[in-house]
Amino acid sequence: MKTTEISCLCGAVRAQLKGEPIAQFYCHCDDCQATSGGAYVGVAVYPTEAVQVTQGKLVTWTLKTLPRQRCATCGTHIMVVGLRLMLFKLLKLALIALP
């Protein structure tokens, strides 16, 4: 099974992703537009059990509707979590591309 390591921009938060994403898409919702400052955000969907934070502290916050988690040190948006999405975690695609 493929394992992918991701981190925030400052390196304080690290996570492991096991396997391949269930889906990948560009989200155009108002919440993603407001938090990113862009027209859309690339998202990868993983089962909750496939995502493990191995280092650092995440802070949960909500702008409009979706609870998001970011690095407590640098503020990099890591993932979206929510009551209806408890089986899945949505990760920002840009983090997966980082070394």
Side-chain angles (χ1 to χ4, degrees):
M1 181 180 294
K2 177 183 174 183
T3 300
T4 305
E5 301 277 338
I6 65 170
S7 69
C8 64
L9 296 176
C10 75
V13 172
R14 296 194 177 279
Q16 278 188 345
L17 311 175
K18 293 187 178 157
E20 298 290 333
I22 295 168
Q24 296 180 54
F25 61 92
Y26 292 105
C27 185
H28 296 81
C29 78
D30 291 344
D31 215 42
C32 284
Q33 288 178 355
T35 59
S36 72
Y40 56 86
V41 174
V43 176
V45 180
Y46 282 85
T48 296
E49 64 274 4
V51 179
Q52 180 182 1
V53 176
T54 57
Q55 174 183 308
K57 181 179 177 189
L58 294 174
V59 174
T60 302
W61 62 284
T62 302
L63 177 66
K64 292 183 176 186
T65 57
L66 294 174
R68 298 167 185 276
Q69 292 184 317
R70 62 180 173 83
C71 170
T73 304
C74 70
T76 301
H77 170 212
I78 306 292
M79 67 184 90
V80 172
V81 293
L83 298 176
R84 289 186 284 160
L85 304 172
M86 292 194 52
L87 297 176
F88 305 101
K89 296 214 179 208
L90 309 178
L91 289 103
K92 200 168 182 180
L93 278 176
L95 294 176
I96 297 170
L98 290 174

